[in-house]
Protein backbone atom coordinates (compact mmCIF):
# COMPACT_ATOMS: atom_id res chain seq x y z
CA UNK A 1 0.00 0.00 0.00
CA UNK A 2 2.86 2.38 0.79
CA UNK A 3 4.31 1.63 -2.65
CA UNK A 4 0.97 2.56 -4.26
CA UNK A 5 0.81 5.91 -2.50
CA UNK A 6 4.45 6.54 -3.37
CA UNK A 7 3.62 5.97 -7.05
CA UNK A 8 0.69 8.36 -6.86
CA UNK A 9 2.84 11.00 -5.22
CA UNK A 10 5.71 10.52 -7.65
CA UNK A 11 3.95 10.56 -11.00
CA UNK A 12 2.38 13.77 -12.20
CA UNK A 13 0.67 12.17 -15.18
CA UNK A 14 -2.24 9.78 -14.51
CA UNK A 15 -1.44 7.87 -17.71
CA UNK A 16 1.86 6.72 -16.23
CA UNK A 17 0.29 5.21 -13.11
CA UNK A 18 -2.72 3.63 -14.81
CA UNK A 19 -0.79 2.15 -17.72
CA UNK A 20 1.92 0.76 -15.47
CA UNK A 21 -0.42 -0.80 -12.90
CA UNK A 22 -2.73 -2.39 -15.45
CA UNK A 23 0.11 -3.47 -17.73
CA UNK A 24 1.98 -5.25 -14.93
CA UNK A 25 -1.22 -6.93 -13.73
CA UNK A 26 -2.01 -8.17 -17.24
CA UNK A 27 1.49 -9.62 -17.62
CA UNK A 28 1.21 -11.47 -14.30
CA UNK A 29 -2.22 -12.76 -15.26
CA UNK A 30 -0.91 -13.97 -18.62
CA UNK A 31 1.87 -15.91 -16.92
CA UNK A 32 -0.57 -17.57 -14.51
CA UNK A 33 -3.06 -18.47 -17.23
CA UNK A 34 -0.24 -19.95 -19.33
CA UNK A 35 0.39 -22.53 -16.61
CA UNK A 36 -0.78 -26.12 -17.16
CA UNK A 37 -2.71 -25.79 -13.88
CA UNK A 38 -4.94 -23.14 -15.44
CA UNK A 39 -6.52 -25.31 -18.15
CA UNK A 40 -8.98 -28.18 -17.75
CA UNK A 41 -6.97 -30.37 -20.13
CA UNK A 42 -3.63 -29.76 -18.43
CA UNK A 43 -2.16 -28.49 -21.70
CA UNK A 44 -0.78 -24.96 -21.30
CA UNK A 45 -2.78 -22.31 -23.08
CA UNK A 46 -0.99 -20.52 -25.89
CA UNK A 47 0.32 -17.05 -25.06
CA UNK A 48 -2.29 -15.22 -27.14
CA UNK A 49 -5.23 -16.98 -25.47
CA UNK A 50 -3.73 -16.30 -22.05
CA UNK A 51 -2.96 -12.67 -22.92
CA UNK A 52 -6.42 -12.06 -24.39
CA UNK A 53 -8.17 -13.58 -21.37
CA UNK A 54 -5.96 -11.79 -18.85
CA UNK A 55 -6.49 -8.46 -20.59
CA UNK A 56 -10.24 -9.05 -20.76
CA UNK A 57 -10.35 -9.90 -17.05
CA UNK A 58 -8.16 -7.04 -15.81
CA UNK A 59 -10.00 -4.56 -18.04
CA UNK A 60 -13.29 -6.12 -16.77
CA UNK A 61 -14.36 -6.64 -20.36
CA UNK A 62 -15.67 -10.18 -20.75
CA UNK A 63 -14.71 -10.88 -24.37
CA UNK A 64 -13.23 -14.36 -24.71
CA UNK A 65 -11.66 -16.50 -27.41
CA UNK A 66 -12.34 -19.75 -25.53
CA UNK A 67 -15.24 -20.96 -23.44
CA UNK A 68 -14.52 -19.96 -19.84
CA UNK A 69 -16.61 -22.79 -18.39
CA UNK A 70 -14.90 -25.64 -20.25
CA UNK A 71 -11.43 -24.42 -21.20
CA UNK A 72 -10.15 -23.24 -17.82
CA UNK A 73 -9.67 -25.31 -14.69
CA UNK A 74 -10.81 -24.27 -11.23
CA UNK A 75 -7.39 -22.67 -10.73
CA UNK A 76 -7.74 -20.77 -14.01
CA UNK A 77 -11.22 -19.58 -13.07
CA UNK A 78 -9.96 -18.36 -9.69
CA UNK A 79 -7.14 -16.49 -11.45
CA UNK A 80 -9.71 -14.85 -13.74
CA UNK A 81 -11.87 -13.88 -10.74
CA UNK A 82 -8.87 -12.36 -8.95
CA UNK A 83 -7.88 -10.42 -12.08
CA UNK A 84 -11.45 -9.11 -12.36
CA UNK A 85 -11.38 -8.05 -8.72
CA UNK A 86 -8.03 -6.33 -9.07
CA UNK A 87 -9.06 -4.65 -12.32
CA UNK A 88 -12.45 -3.50 -11.06
CA UNK A 89 -11.24 -2.39 -7.66
CA UNK A 90 -8.21 -0.75 -9.24
CA UNK A 91 -10.37 1.26 -11.60
CA UNK A 92 -12.56 2.52 -8.77
CA UNK A 93 -9.59 3.30 -6.55
CA UNK A 94 -7.54 4.99 -9.25
CA UNK A 95 -10.54 6.92 -10.54
CA UNK A 96 -11.16 8.28 -7.06
CA UNK A 97 -7.48 9.06 -6.59
CA UNK A 98 -7.23 11.05 -9.78
CA UNK A 99 -10.54 12.80 -9.18
CA UNK A 100 -9.07 14.02 -5.93
CA UNK A 101 -5.82 14.92 -7.65
CA UNK A 102 -7.78 17.10 -10.04
CA UNK A 103 -9.36 18.83 -7.07
CA UNK A 104 -5.98 19.39 -5.43
CA UNK A 105 -4.60 21.06 -8.52
CA UNK A 106 -7.31 23.72 -8.36
CA UNK A 107 -6.93 26.97 -6.47
CA UNK A 108 -8.34 27.26 -2.95
CA UNK A 109 -11.55 29.00 -3.99
CA UNK A 110 -12.16 26.62 -6.89
CA UNK A 111 -11.32 23.64 -4.69
CA UNK A 112 -13.83 24.71 -2.04
CA UNK A 113 -16.44 25.26 -4.76
CA UNK A 114 -15.78 21.81 -6.17
CA UNK A 115 -16.07 20.18 -2.75
CA UNK A 116 -19.29 22.07 -2.04
CA UNK A 117 -20.67 20.91 -5.37
CA UNK A 118 -19.75 17.22 -5.02
CA UNK A 119 -20.04 16.97 -1.23
CA UNK A 120 -18.15 13.67 -1.35
CA UNK A 121 -14.64 14.41 -2.58
CA UNK A 122 -12.44 15.57 0.26
CA UNK A 123 -8.89 16.08 -0.89
CA UNK A 124 -7.59 16.28 2.68
CA UNK A 125 -8.30 12.62 3.48
CA UNK A 126 -7.50 10.57 0.41
CA UNK A 127 -6.82 7.30 2.18
CA UNK A 128 -10.14 7.38 4.04
CA UNK A 129 -12.05 7.85 0.80
CA UNK A 130 -10.20 5.03 -0.98
CA UNK A 131 -10.75 2.79 2.05
CA UNK A 132 -14.48 3.36 1.74
CA UNK A 133 -14.32 2.44 -1.93
CA UNK A 134 -12.75 -0.92 -1.05
CA UNK A 135 -15.26 -1.57 1.73
CA UNK A 136 -18.18 -0.67 -0.51
CA UNK A 137 -16.90 -2.98 -3.26
CA UNK A 138 -16.45 -5.99 -0.98
CA UNK A 139 -19.75 -5.43 0.84
CA UNK A 140 -21.76 -5.33 -2.38
CA UNK A 141 -20.06 -8.45 -3.69
CA UNK A 142 -20.79 -10.27 -0.42
CA UNK A 143 -24.50 -9.39 -0.60
CA UNK A 144 -24.81 -10.38 -4.26
CA UNK A 145 -22.82 -13.56 -3.66
CA UNK A 146 -25.10 -14.56 -0.79
CA UNK A 147 -28.28 -14.10 -2.82
CA UNK A 148 -26.91 -16.00 -5.82
CA UNK A 149 -25.52 -18.80 -3.65
CA UNK A 150 -28.88 -19.35 -1.96
CA UNK A 151 -30.64 -19.37 -5.31
CA UNK A 152 -28.23 -21.86 -6.88
CA UNK A 153 -28.37 -24.17 -3.86
CA UNK A 154 -32.08 -23.96 -3.03
CA UNK A 155 -33.48 -23.36 -6.50
CA UNK A 156 -31.24 -25.49 -8.70
CA UNK A 157 -29.99 -28.17 -6.32
CA UNK A 158 -26.31 -27.26 -6.52
CA UNK A 159 -24.12 -28.62 -3.70
CA UNK A 160 -23.33 -25.97 -1.09
CA UNK A 161 -19.66 -25.75 -2.07
CA UNK A 162 -20.42 -25.49 -5.78
CA UNK A 163 -23.24 -23.02 -5.17
CA UNK A 164 -20.98 -20.82 -3.06
CA UNK A 165 -18.29 -20.91 -5.74
CA UNK A 166 -20.75 -19.99 -8.48
CA UNK A 167 -22.33 -17.28 -6.34
CA UNK A 168 -19.06 -15.57 -5.42
CA UNK A 169 -17.60 -15.80 -8.94
CA UNK A 170 -20.63 -14.22 -10.55
CA UNK A 171 -20.93 -11.64 -7.78
CA UNK A 172 -17.38 -10.47 -8.53
CA UNK A 173 -17.99 -10.64 -12.26
CA UNK A 174 -21.29 -8.74 -12.15
CA UNK A 175 -20.43 -5.98 -9.67
CA UNK A 176 -17.20 -5.26 -11.53
CA UNK A 177 -19.12 -5.25 -14.84
CA UNK A 178 -16.90 -8.00 -16.23
CA UNK A 179 -19.46 -10.38 -17.74
CA UNK A 180 -17.49 -13.62 -17.33
CA UNK A 181 -19.85 -16.55 -16.73
CA UNK A 182 -19.26 -20.19 -15.85
CA UNK A 183 -21.84 -21.53 -18.28
CA UNK A 184 -21.32 -21.83 -22.06
CA UNK A 185 -24.57 -19.93 -22.72
CA UNK A 186 -23.74 -17.14 -20.24
CA UNK A 187 -27.01 -16.64 -18.29
CA UNK A 188 -29.46 -17.73 -20.99
CA UNK A 189 -30.62 -20.66 -18.85
CA UNK A 190 -31.76 -18.14 -16.22
CA UNK A 191 -33.59 -15.82 -18.64
CA UNK A 192 -36.92 -16.25 -16.81
CA UNK A 193 -35.47 -16.36 -13.28
CA UNK A 194 -35.89 -12.96 -11.56
CA UNK A 195 -33.75 -13.98 -8.58
CA UNK A 196 -30.69 -14.43 -10.76
CA UNK A 197 -31.35 -11.82 -13.44
CA UNK A 198 -32.47 -8.98 -11.17
CA UNK A 199 -29.68 -9.64 -8.66
CA UNK A 200 -27.04 -9.58 -11.37
CA UNK A 201 -28.65 -6.54 -13.00
CA UNK A 202 -28.69 -4.67 -9.68
CA UNK A 203 -25.02 -5.44 -9.11
CA UNK A 204 -24.17 -4.20 -12.60
CA UNK A 205 -26.14 -0.97 -12.16
CA UNK A 206 -24.73 -0.18 -8.70
CA UNK A 207 -21.17 -1.00 -9.73
CA UNK A 208 -21.56 1.13 -12.83
CA UNK A 209 -22.98 4.21 -11.10
CA UNK A 210 -19.63 5.25 -9.70
CA UNK A 211 -18.49 5.53 -6.12
CA UNK A 212 -18.97 9.31 -5.73
CA UNK A 213 -22.61 9.00 -6.75
CA UNK A 214 -23.31 6.01 -4.51
CA UNK A 215 -21.59 7.66 -1.55
CA UNK A 216 -23.64 10.82 -1.98
CA UNK A 217 -26.88 8.87 -2.30
CA UNK A 218 -26.09 7.04 0.91
CA UNK A 219 -25.70 10.32 2.74
CA UNK A 220 -28.59 12.32 1.28
CA UNK A 221 -30.86 10.02 -0.72
CA UNK A 222 -33.92 11.63 0.86
CA UNK A 223 -32.87 15.14 -0.20
CA UNK A 224 -32.57 15.23 -4.01
CA UNK A 225 -32.36 19.01 -3.93
CA UNK A 226 -28.94 18.70 -2.33
CA UNK A 227 -27.56 16.26 -4.88
CA UNK A 228 -24.54 17.39 -6.84
CA UNK A 229 -24.65 17.96 -10.58
CA UNK A 230 -22.69 14.73 -11.11
CA UNK A 231 -25.26 12.66 -9.23
CA UNK A 232 -28.24 14.25 -10.94
CA UNK A 233 -26.82 13.77 -14.44
CA UNK A 234 -25.68 10.20 -13.72
CA UNK A 235 -29.03 9.07 -12.32
CA UNK A 236 -31.12 10.84 -14.96
CA UNK A 237 -29.18 9.58 -17.97
CA UNK A 238 -28.93 6.08 -16.48
CA UNK A 239 -32.70 5.92 -15.94
CA UNK A 240 -33.41 7.21 -19.45
CA UNK A 241 -31.06 4.70 -21.07
CA UNK A 242 -32.40 1.77 -19.05
CA UNK A 243 -36.04 2.65 -19.71
CA UNK A 244 -35.41 3.47 -23.37
CA UNK A 245 -33.34 0.34 -23.93
CA UNK A 246 -35.96 -1.89 -22.33
CA UNK A 247 -38.72 -0.36 -24.45
CA UNK A 248 -36.73 -0.72 -27.67
CA UNK A 249 -35.89 -4.38 -27.02
CA UNK A 250 -39.51 -5.13 -26.16
CA UNK A 251 -40.73 -3.55 -29.38
CA UNK A 252 -38.11 -4.97 -31.73
CA UNK A 253 -37.82 -8.48 -30.24
CA UNK A 254 -41.39 -9.09 -29.03
CA UNK A 255 -42.30 -11.45 -31.87
CA UNK A 256 -38.81 -12.74 -32.64
CA UNK A 257 -39.12 -16.55 -32.25
CA UNK A 258 -35.39 -16.81 -31.50
CA UNK A 259 -35.35 -14.33 -28.61
CA UNK A 260 -38.42 -12.96 -26.78
CA UNK A 261 -41.06 -14.64 -28.92
CA UNK A 262 -41.57 -17.90 -26.96
CA UNK A 263 -41.69 -16.16 -23.52
CA UNK A 264 -44.74 -14.98 -21.60
CA UNK A 265 -45.26 -11.27 -20.91
CA UNK A 266 -43.43 -11.27 -17.58
CA UNK A 267 -40.53 -13.21 -19.06
CA UNK A 268 -40.31 -10.80 -21.99
CA UNK A 269 -40.21 -7.78 -19.68
CA UNK A 270 -37.52 -9.35 -17.50
CA UNK A 271 -35.38 -10.42 -20.46
CA UNK A 272 -35.74 -7.03 -22.18
CA UNK A 273 -34.74 -5.17 -19.00
CA UNK A 274 -31.77 -7.49 -18.45
CA UNK A 275 -30.70 -7.02 -22.08
CA UNK A 276 -30.90 -3.23 -21.63
CA UNK A 277 -28.76 -3.32 -18.48
CA UNK A 278 -25.95 -5.54 -19.75
CA UNK A 279 -24.63 -3.32 -22.60
CA UNK A 280 -23.90 -0.71 -19.95
CA UNK A 281 -20.56 -2.57 -19.64
CA UNK A 282 -21.41 -5.95 -18.09
CA UNK A 283 -21.53 -8.45 -20.95
CA UNK A 284 -23.84 -11.14 -19.56
CA UNK A 285 -26.66 -12.17 -21.85
CA UNK A 286 -29.94 -13.98 -21.24
CA UNK A 287 -30.89 -13.87 -24.93
CA UNK A 288 -28.94 -15.13 -27.93
CA UNK A 289 -27.30 -11.94 -29.20
CA UNK A 290 -26.59 -13.44 -32.61
CA UNK A 291 -30.31 -14.00 -33.19
CA UNK A 292 -31.41 -10.45 -32.42
CA UNK A 293 -32.61 -8.06 -35.14
CA UNK A 294 -30.10 -5.59 -36.62
CA UNK A 295 -32.05 -2.72 -35.08
CA UNK A 296 -31.47 -4.26 -31.65
CA UNK A 297 -27.76 -4.56 -32.44
CA UNK A 298 -27.65 -0.85 -33.23
CA UNK A 299 -29.23 0.11 -29.92
CA UNK A 300 -26.91 -2.30 -28.10
CA UNK A 301 -23.90 -0.67 -29.74
CA UNK A 302 -25.07 2.78 -28.67
CA UNK A 303 -25.55 1.60 -25.07
CA UNK A 304 -22.12 -0.06 -25.07
CA UNK A 305 -20.46 3.07 -26.40
CA UNK A 306 -21.99 5.24 -23.68
CA UNK A 307 -21.30 2.83 -20.81
CA UNK A 308 -21.95 3.71 -17.16
CA UNK A 309 -21.06 6.30 -14.55
CA UNK A 310 -17.77 8.03 -13.85
CA UNK A 311 -15.38 6.60 -11.22
CA UNK A 312 -17.16 3.23 -11.37
CA UNK A 313 -16.50 -0.17 -12.88
CA UNK A 314 -18.29 0.51 -16.17
CA UNK A 315 -16.58 1.48 -19.42
CA UNK A 316 -17.59 3.63 -22.39
CA UNK A 317 -17.49 7.40 -22.63
CA UNK A 318 -19.72 7.52 -19.50
CA UNK A 319 -23.28 8.72 -18.99
CA UNK A 320 -22.03 12.04 -17.61
CA UNK A 321 -20.32 12.77 -20.92
CA UNK A 322 -23.53 12.02 -22.82
CA UNK A 323 -25.48 14.23 -20.43
CA UNK A 324 -23.06 17.12 -20.84
CA UNK A 325 -23.10 16.78 -24.63
CA UNK A 326 -26.90 16.91 -24.59
CA UNK A 327 -26.91 20.18 -22.65
CA UNK A 328 -24.15 21.62 -24.84
CA UNK A 329 -26.15 20.92 -28.01
CA UNK A 330 -29.36 22.22 -26.41
CA UNK A 331 -27.66 25.48 -25.43
CA UNK A 332 -26.31 25.87 -28.96
CA UNK A 333 -29.74 25.25 -30.49
CA UNK A 334 -31.21 27.92 -28.21
CA UNK A 335 -28.47 30.36 -29.11
CA UNK A 336 -27.21 30.63 -25.54
CA UNK A 337 -23.61 31.59 -24.91
CA UNK A 338 -23.44 29.65 -21.65
CA UNK A 339 -24.38 26.05 -20.87
CA UNK A 340 -26.64 25.96 -17.83
CA UNK A 341 -27.75 22.77 -16.08
CA UNK A 342 -30.38 23.40 -13.44
CA UNK A 343 -29.04 26.19 -11.28
CA UNK A 344 -25.43 25.63 -12.27
CA UNK A 345 -23.30 26.87 -15.16
CA UNK A 346 -21.10 24.30 -16.87
CA UNK A 347 -17.46 25.33 -17.11
CA UNK A 348 -15.84 25.69 -20.51
CA UNK A 349 -13.18 23.20 -19.45
CA UNK A 350 -15.83 20.52 -18.83
CA UNK A 351 -17.39 21.26 -22.22
CA UNK A 352 -14.04 20.84 -23.99
CA UNK A 353 -13.32 17.62 -22.12
CA UNK A 354 -16.70 16.10 -23.02
CA UNK A 355 -16.37 16.98 -26.70
CA UNK A 356 -12.71 15.88 -26.90
CA UNK A 357 -13.39 12.56 -25.19
CA UNK A 358 -16.33 11.77 -27.47
CA UNK A 359 -14.57 12.73 -30.71
CA UNK A 360 -11.45 10.73 -29.84
CA UNK A 361 -13.56 7.73 -28.83
CA UNK A 362 -15.50 7.80 -32.10
CA UNK A 363 -12.24 8.08 -34.03
CA UNK A 364 -10.77 5.15 -32.10
CA UNK A 365 -13.78 2.93 -32.83
CA UNK A 366 -13.74 3.90 -36.51
CA UNK A 367 -10.00 3.22 -36.84
CA UNK A 368 -10.13 -0.21 -35.19
CA UNK A 369 -13.24 -1.14 -37.17
CA UNK A 370 -11.48 -0.35 -40.43
CA UNK A 371 -8.35 -2.32 -39.51
CA UNK A 372 -10.37 -5.32 -38.34
CA UNK A 373 -12.38 -5.28 -41.55
CA UNK A 374 -9.08 -5.54 -43.42
CA UNK A 375 -7.88 -8.41 -41.22
CA UNK A 376 -11.17 -10.27 -40.89
CA UNK A 377 -13.63 -11.70 -43.45
CA UNK A 378 -16.55 -10.76 -41.18
CA UNK A 379 -19.20 -8.23 -42.24
CA UNK A 380 -19.29 -4.63 -41.06
CA UNK A 381 -22.18 -5.13 -38.62
CA UNK A 382 -20.39 -8.03 -36.88
CA UNK A 383 -17.03 -6.26 -36.71
CA UNK A 384 -18.49 -2.97 -35.52
CA UNK A 385 -20.42 -4.76 -32.77
CA UNK A 386 -17.26 -6.50 -31.54
CA UNK A 387 -15.16 -3.34 -31.71
CA UNK A 388 -17.66 -1.27 -29.73
CA UNK A 389 -17.94 -4.10 -27.22
CA UNK A 390 -14.17 -4.19 -26.78
CA UNK A 391 -13.89 -0.41 -26.52
CA UNK A 392 -16.76 -0.11 -24.06
CA UNK A 393 -15.38 -3.05 -22.01
CA UNK A 394 -18.75 -4.74 -22.38
CA UNK A 395 -17.90 -8.27 -23.47
CA UNK A 396 -21.00 -9.00 -25.54
CA UNK A 397 -19.91 -10.92 -28.61
CA UNK A 398 -21.28 -12.11 -31.93
CA UNK A 399 -18.41 -14.55 -32.43
CA UNK A 400 -15.85 -12.32 -34.14
CA UNK A 401 -13.21 -12.53 -31.40
CA UNK A 402 -13.16 -16.32 -31.14
CA UNK A 403 -13.05 -16.77 -34.93
CA UNK A 404 -10.58 -13.96 -35.63
CA UNK A 405 -7.02 -14.38 -36.82
CA UNK A 406 -4.14 -13.98 -34.34
CA UNK A 407 -3.46 -10.47 -35.68
CA UNK A 408 -7.10 -9.47 -35.19
CA UNK A 409 -7.11 -10.92 -31.67
CA UNK A 410 -4.00 -8.91 -30.81
CA UNK A 411 -5.77 -5.82 -32.12
CA UNK A 412 -8.84 -6.53 -29.98
CA UNK A 413 -6.57 -7.08 -26.98
CA UNK A 414 -5.03 -3.68 -27.53
CA UNK A 415 -8.46 -2.10 -27.96
CA UNK A 416 -9.68 -3.61 -24.68
CA UNK A 417 -6.68 -2.10 -22.92
CA UNK A 418 -6.98 1.29 -24.58
CA UNK A 419 -10.75 1.35 -24.16
CA UNK A 420 -10.44 0.64 -20.46
CA UNK A 421 -7.73 3.10 -19.51
CA UNK A 422 -8.34 5.60 -22.34
CA UNK A 423 -11.40 7.53 -21.12
CA UNK A 424 -10.14 7.72 -17.54
CA UNK A 425 -6.63 8.62 -18.60
CA UNK A 426 -7.81 11.21 -21.08
CA UNK A 427 -10.28 12.80 -18.70
CA UNK A 428 -7.71 13.11 -15.91
CA UNK A 429 -4.96 14.26 -18.23
CA UNK A 430 -7.11 16.98 -19.77
CA UNK A 431 -8.05 18.31 -16.35
CA UNK A 432 -4.53 18.13 -14.92
CA UNK A 433 -2.95 19.75 -17.96
CA UNK A 434 -5.19 22.79 -18.00
CA UNK A 435 -3.16 25.95 -18.44
CA UNK A 436 -4.08 29.60 -18.09
CA UNK A 437 -3.08 32.27 -20.63
CA UNK A 438 -1.96 35.78 -19.81
CA UNK A 439 -3.16 36.99 -23.20
CA UNK A 440 -5.92 36.37 -25.74
CA UNK A 441 -5.51 36.09 -29.51
CA UNK A 442 -7.83 37.93 -31.92
CA UNK A 443 -11.01 36.06 -32.82
CA UNK A 444 -11.97 35.09 -36.38
CA UNK A 445 -15.26 33.64 -37.55
CA UNK A 446 -15.23 30.23 -39.33
CA UNK A 447 -18.14 28.72 -41.22
CA UNK A 448 -19.34 25.55 -39.47
CA UNK A 449 -21.60 23.07 -41.25
Amino acid sequence: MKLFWAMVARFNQPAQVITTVFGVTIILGTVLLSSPLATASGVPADWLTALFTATSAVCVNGLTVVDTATHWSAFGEVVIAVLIQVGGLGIMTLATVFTLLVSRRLGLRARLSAQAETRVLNGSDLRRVVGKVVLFNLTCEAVVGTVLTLRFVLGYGEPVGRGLYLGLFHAVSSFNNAGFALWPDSLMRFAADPWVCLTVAAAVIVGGLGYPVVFELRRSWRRPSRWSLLTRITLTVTAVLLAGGTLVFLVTEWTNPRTLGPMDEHGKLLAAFFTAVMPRSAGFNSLDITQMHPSSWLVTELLMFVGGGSAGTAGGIKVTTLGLLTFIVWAELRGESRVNIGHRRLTEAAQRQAVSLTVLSVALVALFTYVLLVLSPQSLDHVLFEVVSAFGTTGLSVGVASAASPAAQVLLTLLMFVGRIGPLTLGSALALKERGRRYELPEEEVIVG
Side-chain angles (χ1 to χ4, degrees), residues 4-5 8 14 17-18 22 87-105 115 118-137 175 207 209-216 230 309-313 318 420 424-425 427-428 432:
F4 173 78
W5 294 113
V8 172
V17 179
I18 297 176
F22 277 79
L89 188 57
I91 280 291
M92 296 185 73
T93 303
L94 291 175
T96 304
V97 168
F98 292 124
T99 301
L100 293 174
L101 286 179
V102 171
S103 178
R104 289 185 174 190
R105 287 294 297 270
Q115 292 177 6
T118 61
R119 299 191 183 98
V120 298
L121 299 178
N122 185 357
S124 63
D125 197 357
L126 188 61
R127 297 190 183 191
R128 179 178 61 84
V129 173
V130 173
K132 288 187 176 182
V133 172
V134 176
L135 179 61
F136 171 70
N137 184 298
F175 180 79
L209 282 178
Y211 174 75
V213 173
V214 173
F215 181 66
E216 184 173 4
L230 171 65
S310 301
T313 58
K318 304 296 188 297
R420 191 50 172 156
L424 176 60
T425 302
S428 301
L432 290 172

Side-chain angles (χ1 to χ4, degrees), residues 64-303:
T64 59
V65 292
V66 294
D67 180 33
T68 304
T70 59
H71 183 83
W72 304 107
S73 65
F75 174 77
E77 292 171 357
V78 170
V79 170
I80 292 173
V82 171
L83 293 176
I84 292 172
Q85 183 70 82
V86 172
L89 188 57
I91 280 291
M92 296 185 73
T93 303
L94 291 175
T96 304
V97 168
F98 292 124
T99 301
L100 293 174
L101 286 179
V102 171
S103 178
R104 289 185 174 190
R105 287 294 297 270
L106 298 175
L108 177 60
R109 180 177 300 177
R111 189 188 315 167
L112 293 175
S113 299
Q115 292 177 6
E117 175 68 16
T118 61
R119 299 191 183 98
V120 298
L121 299 178
N122 185 357
S124 63
D125 197 357
L126 188 61
R127 297 190 183 191
R128 179 178 61 84
V129 173
V130 173
K132 288 187 176 182
V133 172
V134 176
L135 179 61
F136 171 70
N137 184 298
L138 297 180
T139 301
C140 289
E141 291 175 353
V143 172
V144 174
T146 300
V147 175
L148 292 179
T149 298
L150 292 175
R151 183 56 178 168
F152 293 146
V153 173
L154 301 178
Y156 295 92
E158 294 283 357
V160 175
R162 176 65 177 173
L164 179 62
Y165 177 75
L166 291 173
L168 291 178
F169 183 95
H170 291 90
V172 172
S173 184
S174 59
F175 180 79
N176 291 288
N177 283 216
F180 281 88
L182 296 182
W183 293 280
D185 61 354
S186 187
L187 300 183
M188 289 176 60
R189 63 188 63 195
F190 305 111
D193 188 339
W195 284 99
V196 174
C197 289
L198 292 181
T199 301
V200 171
V204 170
I205 293 172
V206 173
L209 282 178
Y211 174 75
V213 173
V214 173
F215 181 66
E216 184 173 4
L217 289 176
R218 189 181 67 175
R219 294 183 58 183
S220 57
W221 64 275
R222 294 182 177 179
R223 294 170 290 183
S225 60
R226 297 189 178 183
W227 290 352
S228 66
L229 191 59
L230 171 65
T231 297
R232 281 181 281 156
I233 292 177
T234 299
L235 294 180
T236 301
V237 178
T238 296
V240 170
L241 292 180
L242 290 179
T246 302
L247 179 61
V248 167
F249 291 129
L250 280 174
V251 172
T252 57
E253 300 295 328
W254 185 272
T255 59
N256 188 341
R258 297 178 296 276
T259 54
L260 295 182
M263 300 181 179
D264 58 24
E265 293 182 356
H266 292 92
K268 289 179 179 179
L269 181 60
L270 176 62
F273 174 73
F274 190 84
T275 304
V277 173
M278 293 307 112
R280 307 296 310 288
S281 192
F284 295 107
N285 62 284
S286 61
L287 300 176
D288 189 349
I289 301 297
T290 62
Q291 300 301 319
M292 295 172 67
H293 292 307
S295 54
S296 297
W297 279 20
L298 176 61
V299 174
T300 303
E301 289 164 355
L302 294 175
L303 293 174

Side-chain angles (χ1 to χ4, degrees), residues 246-396:
T246 302
L247 179 61
V248 167
F249 291 129
L250 280 174
V251 172
T252 57
E253 300 295 328
W254 185 272
T255 59
N256 188 341
R258 297 178 296 276
T259 54
L260 295 182
M263 300 181 179
D264 58 24
E265 293 182 356
H266 292 92
K268 289 179 179 179
L269 181 60
L270 176 62
F273 174 73
F274 190 84
T275 304
V277 173
M278 293 307 112
R280 307 296 310 288
S281 192
F284 295 107
N285 62 284
S286 61
L287 300 176
D288 189 349
I289 301 297
T290 62
Q291 300 301 319
M292 295 172 67
H293 292 307
S295 54
S296 297
W297 279 20
L298 176 61
V299 174
T300 303
E301 289 164 355
L302 294 175
L303 293 174
M304 291 191 296
F305 184 77
V306 173
S310 301
T313 58
I317 64 172
K318 304 296 188 297
V319 294
T320 47
T321 304
L322 176 62
L324 294 184
L325 288 175
T326 302
F327 282 103
I328 291 172
V329 172
W330 179 245
E332 186 65 28
L333 292 176
R334 291 171 57 90
E336 297 178 352
S337 59
R338 297 288 186 268
V339 179
N340 299 318
I341 305 177
H343 299 289
R344 294 290 186 271
R345 177 171 56 86
L346 188 64
T347 65
E348 293 185 359
Q351 298 177 46
R352 293 196 305 269
Q353 292 164 22
V355 173
S356 299
L357 177 59
T358 304
V359 171
L360 289 177
S361 298
V362 171
L364 189 68
V365 169
L367 175 62
F368 275 78
T369 300
Y370 170 78
V371 177
L372 271 179
L373 283 172
V374 174
L375 298 176
S376 172
Q378 301 282 353
S379 61
L380 173 60
D381 54 347
H382 285 74
V383 171
L384 180 61
F385 190 98
E386 210 85 357
V387 167
V388 176
S389 180
F391 168 78
T393 68
T394 304
L396 292 175

